[in-house]
Amino acid sequence: MQKITIAIDGYSSCGKSTLAKALAHKLNYSYIDTGAMYRAVTVYALRNGIIDENNNINVEKLIASLDNIEVTFVFNPQTHISDTYLNNENVEREIRTMQVSSIVSKVSSIKEVREKMVALQRKMGKSKGVILDGRDIGTNVFPKAELKLFMTADGDVRAHRRLTEYSSKGQYFTLEEVKHSLLERDTEDINRKENPLIKADDAIILDNSDISREEQLEFVLKLIADLQFISRQEQSQH
Ligand code: DC
C-alpha cells in the first residue's frame, strides 16, 4: 500500500497521541509527537530560570537560548514508542507534568520557538509513512498531508481522561483543576497569532466523546483504505 502523511490536529487531551500511536503500530508508520517538542523546550526554560515561579517567560532569553536546545526522539524497545530527549537526556516523564502543561502553550506561541520546531518537524517527517499530531500540522507543517483529522471531544470526557493519566503517574489533582488547565490551553492555542489551532478546510472531524479507542481506530483505518482506493482508481483512469 502506498504510504501517506497523516496529520492529526485538535484540542488538548482528545486522544490524538493515543490514536496516532495505534495507527503507527498498525500501519508500521513513524509517529512524531509535536506537542512533546514544545514541552521539551518548556522543560529547558524551566530548568534554566527562563520561566520564573509566576510563569513569566523571559522571551528574549529563550530566543537567545534556542541554539542550545536540541530535541530528538529515540525509540524505546520496551514501550515500542519513541521517547522525547532534550539535549540527549530522556525527559519523557518530565514533559508530562502539570507544571509543564500550565505554561507550554505560552512557550509555543513564541514565533522563533515555532519556527525552529516546525523546521525540525518538516525535516523529521519528510518521508511518507508518517503520522504527526499537534495543533497546526494540517494547516501549516504539512498542508499537503493526504489525510487530515481534526479531533475533538466533550470537555468533561477529556478532563476525566487526563485526570486518570495524571493519577496513574502519581500526580493528583481535582477534576476541576484538570478541566480548567486544559480549557485554558485550548483558548491560548486557538487565539495565538502564530499558526493557531484551527481546523484545516479539508480535515475530517473526529469527535470521540462517545466512541471507544477500537471504534476510532477502525473508523480511521477505513478512511485510509478509502483514500487508497480512490487514489488507485484515479491512477487507473490516467
Ligand atoms: O499535544 P500537547 O498537549 O502535548 O501540546 C502541548 C502544547 O504545545 C499545546 O498546548 C500547544 C502546543 N503545540 C503547538 O502549538 N503546536 C503543535 N503542533 C503541537 C503542540
Side-chain angles (χ1 to χ4, degrees):
M1 265 216 240
Q2 211 180 339
K3 297 215 166 189
I4 61 170
T5 300
I6 303 176
I8 306 180
D9 290 303
Y11 300 102
S12 294
S13 307
C14 274
K16 299 186 292 297
S17 70
T18 304
L19 173 63
K21 283 176 200 161
L23 281 172
H25 185 68
K26 190 93 189 171
L27 302 169
N28 200 19
Y29 275 29
S30 53
Y31 164 50
I32 302 171
D33 178 348
T34 66
M37 298 167 75
Y38 293 101
R39 286 173 180 270
V41 174
T42 305
V43 167
Y44 180 95
L46 284 165
R47 282 182 182 177
N48 289 278
I50 296 172
I51 298 174
D52 70 18
E53 58 281 2
N54 298 316
N55 268 358
N56 295 311
I57 307 170
N58 183 335
V59 175
E60 267 179 33
K61 196 168 170 199
L62 180 54
I63 294 170
S65 305
L66 282 175
D67 283 346
N68 305 326
I69 304 176
E70 196 192 43
V71 183
T72 46
F73 292 107
V74 178
F75 186 73
N76 181 335
Q78 268 161 2
T79 56
H80 291 274
I81 34 179
S82 293
D83 287 340
T84 312
Y85 279 65
L86 167 65
N87 294 338
N88 296 319
E89 178 194 341
N90 188 332
V91 287
E92 192 53 43
R93 257 187 102 80
E94 205 173 336
I95 61 170
R96 312 278 170 205
T97 61
M98 182 70 124
Q99 187 190 18
V100 171
S101 294
S102 70
I103 189 66
V104 60
S105 279
K106 285 208 172 68
V107 170
S108 75
S109 68
I110 301 168
K111 185 166 157 269
E112 289 79 359
V113 171
R114 298 202 73 76
E115 281 169 358
K116 177 164 170 145
M117 292 303 120
V118 168
L120 203 56
Q121 289 154 17
R122 288 188 179 139
K123 199 167 150 201
M124 287 175 173
K126 70 176 184 300
S127 26
K128 296 279 169 192
V130 65
I131 304 165
L132 298 97
D133 79 347
R135 304 294 186 288
D136 62 339
I137 310 302
T139 51
N140 175 48
V141 183
F142 284 109
K144 291 190 180 153
E146 288 85 353
L147 178 63
K148 297 181 188 176
L149 300 169
F150 190 85
M151 290 182 65
T152 178
D154 175 78
D156 284 324
V157 173
R158 291 194 278 143
H160 268 290
R161 287 178 188 156
R162 193 38 72 101
L163 186 77
T164 311
E165 192 185 316
Y166 279 133
S167 34
S168 73
K169 291 176 183 162
Q171 302 175 45
Y172 301 101
F173 305 99
T174 65
L175 185 65
E176 272 317 303
E177 281 169 331
V178 175
K179 191 173 172 189
H180 176 77
S181 158
L182 65 90
L183 294 182
E184 203 172 55
R185 217 136 59 80
D186 285 346
T187 308
E188 281 180 23
D189 294 341
I190 292 165
N191 292 307
R192 69 162 175 248
K193 219 169 100 217
E194 304 293 329
N195 312 126
L197 168 62
I198 180 173
K199 181 188 147 327
D201 289 340
D202 50 350
I204 295 161
I205 295 179
L206 174 50
D207 182 335
N208 65 12
S209 309
D210 299 313
I211 58 171
S212 68
R213 289 178 180 196
E214 292 72 26
E215 286 168 328
Q216 168 173 276
L217 181 62
E218 283 310 308
F219 173 77
V220 180
L221 289 172
K222 169 92 173 51
L223 286 177
I224 296 169
D226 290 349
L227 261 180
Q228 309 270 12
F229 178 73
I230 293 166
S231 128
R232 274 199 304 277
Q233 279 208 321
E234 280 172 356
Q235 276 166 13
S236 68
Q237 281 164 7
H238 287 117

